[in-house]
Amino acid sequence: MLLLMLAAVATVVRAQPLCRPYKVRTGKVFASKPLPEGDRLFYAFSSTYVLRDICHSDTVLYLGKKIFISKDKFESSLRPLTIPKSMRAGGASVTSALFTSNSKLLLVVNKKVYMYNYLSNRWHKAIGIYQPVSHISGDKCCFKNEFCLELSYKVFAYLRGGPLPRTKIYFSDNGGFAFQSLASEKLDGLEGTLGGVFHFHSFSQVGILEVKDKLGSFHYMEHPLNHSAGIPFKYNDPLDVIIKPGQRGFLVLWNQTSLLVSPNSGQIIETVQLWRGNTIVTPNISDMGINIHSIASNTYELALLTRENVVYYGSQGYLGTTLVQLPDQPLWSEETGISFTDTGMLEVLTPVADPQFPAFDFQKCIVNVQAVLNTPDLQIEPCNVEFLDSTMVEQMFTIDMNSQLDLSALMIPRPGKIPIPLVMVSNPHSLGLEAHIIEFGNTFDGNYKYKLEIELRQQQQQDSADLNFTTSIKRNTISSVTVDIADKTVACVDLKPLSTLISIGCDKTKKILVQKEAYSPISYDAEAQSDLLVYYQYEKLGCPRLVYYDKPWKPVVEMWKNGILEEIMNAEYVITEVNGITTYTYSLTAATANCRSQPQNWSTFKSDFYFLFEGTLWNRENYISCHEENKDNPLLWPEVEYQILGGQTDNRVIFGQRNGIYTFLLSVVDPYYSYCSLETMFSVYVDGALPMAFFSPELSITLLVFTTLLSTWLAYAIPKELSTERGQRLRNFCSRLFEGCLGLCRCSWLWSRLWSRLWSRLKLWLRSRRVGDQPERIPRTQRNQTDTEAVRGL
């Protein structure tokens, strides 16, 4: 009896369906609105494809004989998508689609690129594309920051199958609004046909798929992979390339009869294994003659629906991709498509026409993969890990130059199992890691807990780094970090890998501050034409630092991160006075700074002061150190000022003889200190300078001696002159002039009259002196009479 009961239970388990279908039907009660005018879009291929917006999970696009876009996960009836007649698409055949930023959907319709805003229902034709294209590609990033938004804006448009290098490739950095032609020397060296071009953000590369002699291979445009290619693989028919979400470097290449994958952005292309229980059925599922009708993938999972009415499910990892066949259930039809709604939840979607209404209903069937894999008849070994978690999930981190990032993960294995943790980076050319595992206590039931500690640094700072392997240290890059279990089974559906994105670039939490302790409005070569009134920005600058004018000085620069002082900066930097004062010099010259080539200075960058409001013209991007040999710029003028502070020199600023406030903009130009454009503004008050003399010392001494001799001579000559008749007349005149001034002070109302009379008498008196020297023109008696009248008048 017990055996009969067990057999009956097994029969019931095997009879359980893969999923239970149901129909979504809404909005059919009211009268339908008239159909919008336009061309009804359709997918150009016989397969179906369901595309989800990974950043907005409610938005889903269905591509088949008809095209639908839903904003509520197909939980309501919908009309097929049409393109307005005004777009002049010509045909309505869609060959490629891509969700970009916000509510934008890019579609390739009749070899033209259109943008559709599904919230406002507006269409826009992309500009800048002048030749036919068949596909678009991009890799959307979902982190809420400016850096991630820039990644989502990058899009390629190309004609698959076009001859290389003549085929035009277009790129956009604004989400597909406008495109430009891609020009690269790498393209000139390629032959064959174009299989696709892609932004591999997790690899910091642009990958070009070249097809030649029925072999495909990926070529890359950036160092250190720009002179090599990925491993060739069989390429008999055109393959669609899916960049899996999450920026982990995983690719899926497929058509109806072939399925390939890559764990590292196309460097290695692998086949997909098919397992049954603990046995490998085939190392390449494509050899089984399958006919793929629809494919579904998310960050970690992969599923197929074939025309043979079979559903395959598996996980994609760095050590391989395996699939298992799920129990049979008739799900396939010409209109059916599949997609993942969440981890381990596979949705089978079929549009259903309504003969009475233009809106289509949708039949759904949700497969709980974890529950299906737990059925005994599949003979799948249970997951060997009970718990795997970390705080790094769904976060984005930044590693700046000379920085280190420490991460950790907690793992609890299944009792009796010893799983092997695996830590991988998608871009080993930029990001290096060290990891070790330690015991971290026990659970309540006595099971061991393990802590995985991970140290991440720039690959260039690892002792084993080689220049031929690493990317340029001056270039911002990206890499993902993934923690997984190397030997986990396919049953570990709910135990998904831990992954995060690392930006090797500017850490925006960093800032620099200066420790507290002559005007040229046009250029550094011109002199001031007028005074400049400058208002001191106290809220921004605070109190100025006090500096003695004749003491060589340089600022002490502090590096702060997240409000915490990290170090005293010793990188190379430059300063400039924002108001154009140039009454300061530098203590070193090119020779005394031990320059091996001609150093840069501010005169190298000819510009007005507009750049001070737009960012410093002299920065880490264009700085060239003079301490390295440079055949193009030899040291020809060793006595020129060396205007770089910090670094390996002790260069200092020497202020001229001027008391006052200087407001400086300090900019870090050292390209190996940080990826950020670090700047700060500060002020100093220069004190201790005596007023500047208007004349040279020699001229002052000469004037002093001359004044002394003149005073001595006047002290002798004036008394002698006053004893003569002429001196007596001058003396009497001055006396009367003084008495008249006193009278004028008493009677102010007589001022104008007395002044006119006095002026006339003075002129007459002076005339009498001139006439007295010419006795032949005026008789003496007349001259005496005139003098008498002048005296009476006074």
Side-chain angles (χ1 to χ4, degrees), residues 132-170:
V133 297
S134 63
H135 286 74
I136 49 179
S137 67
D139 188 8
K140 192 171 184 180
C141 181
C142 297
F143 291 102
K144 305 296 183 181
N145 54 48
E146 182 181 353
F147 174 80
C148 201
L149 185 62
E150 291 179 0
L151 300 185
S152 301
Y153 277 156
K154 296 180 179 181
V155 180
F156 279 119
Y158 57 92
L159 178 64
R160 189 174 69 181
L164 290 172
R166 298 190 303 275
T167 298
K168 284 286 186 180
I169 297 175
Y170 299 94

Side-chain angles (χ1 to χ4, degrees), residues 542-671:
C543 293
R545 292 81 176 154
L546 185 62
V547 178
Y548 186 68
Y549 92 98
D550 198 27
K551 180 181 179 181
W553 169 88
K554 72 174 182 180
V556 178
V557 186
E558 301 172 340
M559 167 59 69
W560 291 73
K561 181 179 179 180
N562 288 321
I564 300 174
L565 176 63
E566 280 205 331
E567 63 178 1
I568 301 299
M569 191 188 76
N570 193 34
E572 294 175 311
Y573 60 92
V574 296
I575 61 172
T576 183
E577 215 287 327
V578 300
N579 299 309
I581 301 175
T582 58
T583 56
Y584 60 91
T585 58
Y586 296 86
S587 61
L588 297 182
T589 63
T592 56
N594 298 320
C595 285
R596 302 167 65 182
S597 59
Q598 196 66 39
Q600 293 174 316
N601 52 43
W602 281 108
S603 62
T604 308
F605 308 95
K606 295 291 184 180
S607 175
D608 57 20
F609 278 84
Y610 173 76
F611 70 84
L612 293 177
F613 302 95
E614 298 294 326
T616 307
L617 188 66
W618 194 359
N619 52 47
R620 64 178 298 272
E621 300 292 337
N622 54 22
Y623 171 69
I624 301 175
S625 175
C626 72
H627 300 288
E628 300 175 0
E629 294 287 349
N630 190 344
K631 296 180 180 179
D632 298 329
N633 190 27
L635 183 59
L636 300 178
W637 299 281
E639 298 304 320
V640 72
E641 274 188 345
Y642 182 71
Q643 297 181 350
I644 297 96
L645 301 173
Q648 58 183 294
T649 67
D650 192 29
N651 196 18
R652 294 176 178 267
V653 177
I654 301 176
F655 291 97
Q657 194 171 352
R658 174 190 176 274
N659 293 333
I661 293 178
Y662 293 75
T663 302
F664 288 104
L665 176 66
L666 185 151
S667 305
V668 178
V669 296
D670 191 337

Side-chain angles (χ1 to χ4, degrees), residues 17 66 194 262 344 379 383 416 423 508 746 772:
K66 297 175 182 61
L194 179 63
S262 174
Q379 299 178 358
C383 186
V423 184
K508 294 189 177 182
R746 299 189 188 97

Side-chain angles (χ1 to χ4, degrees), residues 49-63:
Y49 187 58
V50 180
L51 178 65
R52 292 182 175 269
D53 188 339
I54 61 171
C55 301
H56 303 88
S57 58
D58 291 345
T59 304
V60 189
L61 178 71
Y62 169 88
L63 298 170

Side-chain angles (χ1 to χ4, degrees), residues 42-49 62-66 93-94 240 254-257 291-294 305 307 332-337:
F42 64 91
Y43 196 36
F45 307 103
S46 60
S47 59
T48 61
Y49 187 58
Y62 169 88
L63 298 170
K65 292 182 178 180
K66 297 175 182 61
S93 173
V94 175
D240 286 332
W254 75 284
N255 57 29
Q256 289 187 356
T257 60
N291 195 339
I292 302 174
H293 178 68
S294 186
L305 173 62
R307 290 180 177 268
W332 175 84
S333 73
E334 289 287 347
E335 302 291 338
T336 302

Side-chain angles (χ1 to χ4, degrees), residues 693-747:
F694 289 99
F695 305 103
S696 62
E698 294 79 6
L699 181 60
S700 301
I701 294 175
T702 302
L703 290 175
L704 179 61
V705 172
F706 176 78
T707 303
T708 303
L709 294 176
L710 180 61
S711 301
T712 304
W713 179 80
L714 290 175
Y716 168 77
I718 289 176
K720 184 177 181 181
E721 182 66 19
L722 290 177
S723 62
T724 63
E725 180 182 356
R726 182 180 299 176
Q728 190 62 32
R729 286 200 304 270
L730 179 60
R731 185 174 183 181
N732 293 336
F733 171 74
C734 292
S735 177
R736 290 181 175 82
L737 179 62
F738 178 73
E739 292 175 358
C741 290
L742 291 178
L744 181 62
C745 294
R746 299 189 188 97
C747 304

